[in-house]
Amino acid sequence: MNKLTFQYDMVLDFVTKDEIHQYQTEIDKHFAAIYNKTGKGNNFLGWVDLPDNTDETLISRIEATAKKMREQSEIFVIIGIGGSYLGARAVIEALSPHFSHLEQENNSPVILYAGNNISEDYLADLLDVLKNRDYSLAVISKSGTTTEPALAFRILREDLEKKYGKKEARKRIVAVTDKEKGALKQLAGEEGYETFIIPDDVGGRYSVLTPVGLLPVAVAGYDIRQLLEGAKAMKASIGRTTQIDENPVAAYAAVRNALYNKGYTTEIMVNFEPRLFYFTEWWKQLYGESEGKENKGIFPAGVSFTTDLHSMGQYIQEGLRNIFETVLSVGNPRRELKIPEEEKNPDKLNYIAGKAIHEVNRQAELGTALAHVDGGVPNLRISVPEINEFVLGQLIYFYEMACAVSGYILGVNPFDQPGVEAYKRNMFALLGKPGFEKETEAIRKRL
Ligand code: PA5
């Protein structure tokens, strides 16, 4: 089994082992509340059992639909926002060659995204790209009413119908939504789109191991069985004990809360592999929406090193001392590239000639961690041997469980997101949506 490890030796100048271990009793209680479904938000704990409960019928249906979509599409568009898109993108981008959006590789469609913003230029440019290519799409929305994906779907549905005719267009649309609620469910039923259900008890940001993530990942050509196997292995391994010294989820939750209590209110997730950029985005949403409430919570930020060492590095090294960083460290690259020797050594790089590029990256990682610790930034490290489907499954489950435990330590409900509604109410009022007449009148007075 690929091993995931959590190291926190580089936080011990900032918090003591005792301060970390004082969370043990609480952690035991919170694990029990999660497994027994007795804590806050306990009707949204369906994600806990997804690795074991996703049955063969569903996996086979996802794979069969994905095969059809792959065969008929040069481009596959994933429409969704927040939890209905970030997990899929995190996994697909982590597994894909870096420039796979430029051309089809291994007969996989190029994967593009829509419905994750309200930019007119973005959608118009997307329509241009789709014009001369065969494409299909998945529209993913649990509520089935979110404005961003609904808008993108309306535009792309019309485009598909014009391009292929209504009957053929129907075969190019897959809907992933609630089992009964929402406009998307109704539309999918009326049009007869292939539809996958998001379980009632799984919230958006915990839904990557439902069809929300599995279908797009399968269309992109990756092994969803291994993804689930990785999550299953992590579930089994953390299910054995809740001891901070033996359970990486318990340790990560305890360390980050010990640091938070000492004024470290921002956590930066660090990667040294650009293909983990969207994994960081997924993590930011998971932790931001789960913990940031009741005027509490660690602010989740993300950086890609060494790129951002040339932008955010200065702040991290010497700025306000309220940050800690958690490095997602990858043991081995997928490819091999050695630095060539040059006789005249014009760039003075011969001292590293013969080394793999990854070796340089590794020393950058180590050097950065030490520099940041010296600068007053506690450094946590989650290490995985490589990036593949199994490891991503492990990481997903690890972070989800740690988020739930951390949220409970903080005393909040890690499964709701009441604050997300505020901007929507204002936007609907400003747009004059029927049913928002009072809000429209009130908001116009403020302008
Ligand atoms: O995690 C969440 O619940 C949110 O980020 C939602 O996933 C996001 O707002 C999209 O919602 P929906 O799937 O209902 O379109």
Side-chain angles (χ1 to χ4, degrees), residues 60 87 103 111-112 157 180 183 218 229 270 280 318 350 407 421:
S60 305
E103 56 188 303
I111 307 289
L112 298 179
R157 194 173 75 237
E180 52 193 22
E229 279 304 313
V270 178
T280 307
E318 294 181 347
N350 273 357
E421 297 309 311

Side-chain angles (χ1 to χ4, degrees), residues 81-84 140-144 146 149 204-205 285 289 417 424:
I81 194 164
S84 285
I140 307 174
S141 175
K142 182 162 186 197
S143 64
T146 306
R205 58 190 177 275
Q285 189 217 353
E289 275 193 0
Q417 55 285 328
K424 293 185 192 167

Side-chain angles (χ1 to χ4, degrees), residues 42-114:
N42 55 25
N43 45 348
F44 281 99
L45 281 164
W47 57 271
V48 174
D49 298 316
L50 285 174
D52 299 322
N53 289 357
T54 306
D55 64 20
E56 179 55 37
T57 320
L58 177 61
I59 297 175
S60 305
R61 190 158 85 83
I62 290 173
E63 287 172 339
T65 306
K67 183 165 178 279
K68 230 172 13 192
M69 294 295 143
R70 286 169 62 76
E71 282 164 3
Q72 68 187 15
S73 321
E74 292 166 84
I75 296 180
F76 190 72
V77 184
I78 297 165
I79 300 179
I81 194 164
S84 285
Y85 125 92
L86 279 167
R89 190 164 194 175
V91 174
I92 291 168
E93 301 230 346
L95 295 171
S96 302
H98 285 97
F99 307 105
S100 57
H101 59 286
L102 294 179
E103 56 188 303
Q104 282 185 264
E105 304 219 15
N106 309 322
N107 288 325
S108 290
V110 168
I111 307 289
L112 298 179
Y113 301 86

Side-chain angles (χ1 to χ4, degrees), residues 209 224 307 440:
L209 298 177
I224 56 173
T307 311
T440 301

Side-chain angles (χ1 to χ4, degrees), residues 38 281 285 346 398:
T38 52
E281 292 301 297
Q285 189 217 353
F398 168 87

Side-chain angles (χ1 to χ4, degrees), residues 430 442-447:
L430 289 164
I443 206 162
R444 293 215 169 124
K445 283 190 189 135
R446 287 176 61 191
L447 298 174

